[in-house]
Amino acid sequence: MLLRVRRRKPSISNITKMGSKKEKQLPEDVLFSDIFTKLSAKSVLALKPVKKSWYSSIKNPEFVDRFLANSFNRPDGTSLLLTTHDQASGQQYFISSTTDERLDSRPVCLLSVLETGAELSVSQNVNGMFLVHTRPHETFYRDRVDDVYVFNPSTREYLSLPPLPNRASKTWPGSNMNMISYFFGFDVGSKDYKVVGVCCDVGAPGLRVEGEVELGIFGLAGGLKAWRVVNVDVPVSFNPCTPGICVNGAIHWLVKDKRVILAFDLGLERFRVIKLGDGIGIDTLLGDADGDGYGNDGEEEEEDDDDREDEFEEETSVWPCLIQVGSYLAVLEYDDVELRMWVLKDYQNEQWVMESMDYPYDWNLMHALPCGSSHTSEFFLCLNHNTGSSIPKIVCCDMERSTYRRINFVEQFEKIDSSTVSVSLVGCYPENIMPLPKI
């Protein structure tokens, strides 16, 4: 019954008939302010050919912003993005499924297919947009150009970015063997989506960067669609292979051994350091919390070839980790019985608040991966990340209410050959109808 209600909701045919019956047509300002912002992205985009004025109004930045804000409040306004890479064909698939809690089982929809060759990484969403890019440990090969795309799953559009201008020059440190990590964020001051490339010398200990570093910055807004290279000072050393989270117009990295968060302000284009709150138990979750090469027992740790190879991969242990919950930045951690979330409630004054909930005994959080949040206090966990399972087991947690619910999919995934294909959860995203620029 719920599914039938969702089919009837858009009523596009009734709206389009208004164009041929002027006496029944509502003023366009009423349509766009009170009606169209409450439709799904698919329904709104289907209205673009109806009238020329509608086409222009749907692309208007003010309407795009209102639609995005309203997506957070609609039960069906947010979706899950999943991806899978077929090694045999070299294709990467992008799949969506609703987060609507009114449905017991959630259908999946194939959004698009990219001919990628190697598997690409996908960033966490920024206002419903994603960055799809070459994985860091594969960027140092000189026989290929990095793949960097901005992807809007609501419109199914991709924007392919040109290569960094200094990618093969002596400008970058260790230019014969360097790699680049790509990050995505939104500059709230200029209302511009920006891609940031951080270069790392492969020969650097721990693949870390510190001091004066060159960054590549690509802004989607404005007339000039090209990379800029800027020199910035990095106040604490960090591994740019770790994931970054964009909140409050800055990209953030958790620097575990320093017990701080490193933030890059996209408007000011400079770094700042945010101290972690007292009580965040990082050293209880890491064998080498201080990063000095010694374990918690004080004995020196030996490094073998396998350890060196692991440096080229993203960190195998994601805990503790940074997540975005609603409009806040948070650190998520756990122990044997409790899941804890430290929320940075006051960003400027660095005030943290802790929320917690008990979790079921059958959750193996060692293999869990946090994958974004909705507009509320809910966030999503993939419980079987990197376990070889072909179908993700996903739960949605609400720390404020100390509740959780399981996300179940319909039988489409049962057709997947788990020996060659594995589906992974990227995150939750709101619908955004912003058109991507042309380059």
Side-chain angles (χ1 to χ4, degrees):
M1 182 179 296
L2 288 175
L3 287 175
R4 287 198 294 272
V5 171
R6 292 182 70 234
R7 289 194 199 102
R8 290 198 300 264
K9 183 179 178 181
S11 62
I12 298 301
S13 60
N14 292 334
I15 296 175
T16 56
K17 287 178 182 178
M18 294 179 184
S20 59
K21 297 181 180 181
K22 284 191 174 182
E23 67 277 10
K24 294 184 179 181
Q25 186 173 359
L26 292 173
E28 285 197 3
D29 59 341
V30 175
L31 287 174
F32 279 90
S33 62
D34 299 337
I35 297 178
F36 290 173
T37 56
K38 299 176 182 178
L39 299 177
S40 68
K42 181 179 180 180
S43 299
V44 169
L45 295 175
L47 295 172
K48 290 170 72 174
V50 175
K51 296 179 66 176
K52 188 174 182 179
S53 60
W54 287 14
Y55 181 87
S56 300
S57 297
I58 289 173
K59 295 175 62 177
N60 185 290
E62 292 185 4
F63 176 74
V64 170
D65 290 344
R66 287 201 303 270
F67 181 89
L68 174 62
N70 203 64
S71 293
F72 290 112
N73 300 317
R74 290 189 291 114
D76 59 348
T78 57
S79 300
L80 296 175
L81 181 68
L82 305 102
T83 186
T84 180
H85 180 262
D86 189 340
Q87 295 181 356
S89 65
Q91 294 178 319
Q92 189 151 347
Y93 298 81
F94 293 92
I95 306 159
S96 72
S97 180
T98 179
T99 62
D100 192 344
E101 60 184 83
R102 298 173 300 177
L103 303 178
D104 294 329
S105 186
R106 291 156 179 80
V108 296
C109 173
L110 178 63
L111 295 176
S112 60
V113 181
L114 268 180
E115 301 285 346
T116 62
E119 183 176 3
L120 301 182
S121 292
V122 187
S123 72
Q124 288 293 296
N125 102 85
V126 178
N127 292 338
M129 315 260 264
F130 293 85
L131 189 70
V132 183
H133 58 93
T134 301
R135 292 184 292 184
H137 67 282
E138 293 179 350
T139 61
F140 63 85
Y141 294 112
R142 289 297 177 201
D143 59 349
R144 61 168 295 172
V145 176
D146 298 346
D147 293 314
V148 184
Y149 304 92
V150 176
F151 174 43
N152 185 341
S154 300
T155 62
R156 307 191 185 189
E157 291 181 321
Y158 289 92
L159 173 64
S160 178
L161 271 59
L164 275 164
N166 298 326
R167 187 67 181 89
S169 75
K170 297 294 183 180
T171 303
W172 296 103
S175 59
N176 289 327
M177 283 291 285
N178 65 66
M179 65 184 191
I180 296 182
S181 294
Y182 294 96
F183 302 94
F184 191 41
F186 181 69
D187 181 353
V188 294
S190 63
K191 293 188 176 182
D192 188 10
Y193 293 87
K194 295 181 178 180
V195 179
V196 178
V198 183
C199 182
C200 174
D201 188 343
V202 172
L207 299 178
R208 288 177 169 256
V209 296
E210 187 178 14
E212 186 172 324
V213 176
E214 287 184 337
L215 304 182
I217 299 178
F218 190 101
L220 271 61
L224 180 62
K225 300 297 187 298
W227 289 94
R228 292 184 299 110
V229 177
V230 298
N231 294 294
V232 296
D233 181 68
V234 181
V236 296
S237 67
F238 81 107
N239 185 339
C241 292
T242 56
I245 301 294
C246 182
V247 179
N248 292 329
I251 301 174
H252 303 79
W253 297 267
L254 179 60
V255 188
K256 298 176 184 178
D257 59 326
K258 305 296 184 183
R259 295 178 175 84
V260 299
I261 293 172
L262 184 64
F264 178 69
D265 190 300
L266 292 167
L268 300 175
E269 296 185 352
R270 67 187 183 195
F271 285 92
R272 64 171 286 204
V273 174
I274 301 173
K275 294 181 180 179
L276 293 179
D278 295 335
I280 298 181
I282 287 181
D283 44 3
T284 64
L285 301 176
L286 295 176
D288 180 22
D290 51 10
D292 61 357
Y294 293 83
N296 289 338
D297 55 4
E299 296 181 2
E300 186 172 0
E301 298 172 337
E302 295 182 359
E303 179 178 321
D304 55 26
D305 292 339
D306 292 336
D307 293 332
R308 183 59 183 165
E309 290 177 4
D310 288 342
E311 288 181 342
F312 292 97
E313 299 286 350
E314 293 181 2
E315 294 187 9
T316 55
S317 176
V318 300
W319 297 92
C321 59
L322 278 183
I323 61 171
Q324 178 181 358
V325 179
S327 59
Y328 296 106
L329 188 68
V331 175
L332 196 63
E333 63 177 6
Y334 75 97
D335 58 23
D336 292 340
V337 296
E338 191 177 57
L339 190 64
R340 293 185 295 273
M341 182 170 68
W342 298 81
V343 183
L344 187 57
K345 287 288 188 178
D346 189 333
Y347 187 82
Q348 296 301 325
N349 296 314
E350 302 180 8
Q351 298 296 316
W352 296 83
V353 175
M354 193 269 284
E355 300 172 354
S356 64
M357 62 173 281
D358 294 340
Y359 62 89
Y361 71 92
D362 60 340
W363 288 15
N364 185 354
L365 293 183
M366 181 179 296
H367 298 292
L369 178 69
C371 295
S373 70
S374 65
H375 65 288
T376 63
S377 60
E378 294 181 328
F379 64 91
F380 295 86
L381 283 176
C382 180
L383 296 179
N384 57 343
H385 176 68
N386 281 344
T387 61
S389 176
S390 60
I391 309 300
K393 295 180 180 179
I394 303 170
V395 292
C396 181
C397 304
D398 189 329
M399 300 292 280
E400 288 186 355
R401 298 178 177 84
S402 296
T403 60
Y404 71 92
R405 55 189 173 90
R406 298 183 185 272
I407 305 295
N408 298 313
F409 299 106
V410 293
E411 67 277 0
Q412 281 97 325
F413 282 152
E414 295 180 1
K415 301 176 182 179
I416 290 178
D417 182 2
S418 60
S419 63
T420 61
V421 176
S422 176
V423 178
S424 59
L425 173 66
V426 174
C428 176
Y429 66 94
E431 289 191 327
N432 187 343
I433 58 172
M434 188 189 93
L436 294 178
K438 306 298 182 183
I439 296 181

